[in-house]
Amino acid sequence: MALLTIRTYPDPVLREVAAPISDITDTIRKLADDMLETMKLSNGAGLAANQVGIPVRLIVIDGHLNPENRPLMLINPTIVSMEAEVVAEEGCLSVPRYYEFIKRAKKVIVEAMDLDKKPFEISCEGPLAKAFQHEIDHLNGILFIDYLSPVKKSIFKKQYSKIKK
Ligand code: ZN
């Protein structure tokens, strides 16, 4: 396994809309393994391929968020249902050392393919639902800071320029 470099805001790759994966090649499998390793070593709960500079529709989620307690790797994930709202604190490996409360759907249903190209569906709520929404946003070039109010955004920009130094 190889450790990948996590791209940080304002790297333009984080704004790219990731391309669908049509073929699950060994390169994709290796990318998924490397992303999982990179995420764990960075103490992240999830990671999208854009964040390691490869804009394809692949996300990984840490096992501790999964009731089945195994890591999740999702190819071409889409949210097919959202229900209710909840506000919870979020952070992002691509926006280091910044945390803010963000409103998300409380429950989601996600459809995706696994690494054997088998389609599956996950219905969930709580931290896993939050992680899916956050990571799938990445695939669409969206960051959690995009949801900040204009005032919070300007405070963020000032703070972040200091953090980045
Ligand atoms: Zn993130």
Side-chain angles (χ1 to χ4, degrees):
M1 278 187 230
L3 211 56
L4 306 167
T5 304
I6 295 177
R7 306 294 187 89
T8 55
Y9 175 83
D11 191 312
V13 75
L14 296 171
R15 293 305 188 186
E16 279 185 45
V17 176
I21 295 172
S22 51
D23 233 352
I24 299 165
T25 58
D26 286 347
T27 312
I28 293 292
R29 282 175 225 274
K30 185 176 184 319
L31 174 62
D33 283 341
D34 290 346
M35 279 170 57
L36 208 58
E37 193 70 9
T38 303
M39 178 196 72
K40 279 184 185 159
L41 282 164
S42 316
N43 291 315
L47 196 64
N50 311 42
Q51 292 181 274
V52 294
I54 302 162
V56 296
R57 302 190 85 81
L58 164 64
I59 64 170
V60 299
I61 306 272
D62 191 56
H64 83 272
L65 293 183
N66 181 2
E68 290 172 30
N69 205 29
R70 58 178 175 85
L72 295 165
M73 299 176 175
L74 289 85
I75 308 280
N76 301 337
T78 50
I79 295 173
V80 294
S81 163
M82 287 186 174
E83 209 187 304
E85 280 178 349
V86 67
V87 176
E89 195 173 45
E90 282 187 38
C92 178
L93 293 175
S94 294
V95 187
R97 293 181 290 281
Y98 181 79
Y99 302 88
E100 190 48 83
F101 287 86
I102 305 290
K103 193 198 285 176
R104 300 272 190 189
K106 189 177 173 202
K107 295 181 181 181
V108 297
I109 299 175
V110 174
E111 283 181 359
M113 274 191 310
D114 67 13
L115 288 176
D116 297 315
K117 233 180 169 173
K118 229 173 69 191
F120 66 100
E121 192 183 274
I122 298 179
S123 176
C124 61
E125 56 183 294
L128 183 56
K130 178 176 85 171
F132 279 137
Q133 292 171 82
H134 180 113
E135 300 311 330
I136 293 169
D137 267 357
H138 273 301
L139 301 182
N140 296 321
I142 297 166
L143 299 171
F144 81 106
I145 50 169
D146 297 347
Y147 299 111
L148 299 177
S149 67
V151 173
K152 279 192 174 163
K153 186 96 186 236
S154 71
I155 295 168
F156 158 73
K157 282 190 171 160
K158 274 181 213 144
Q159 281 182 1
Y160 190 72
S161 61
K162 284 181 204 148
I163 288 168
K164 282 277 276 180
K165 275 170 201 157

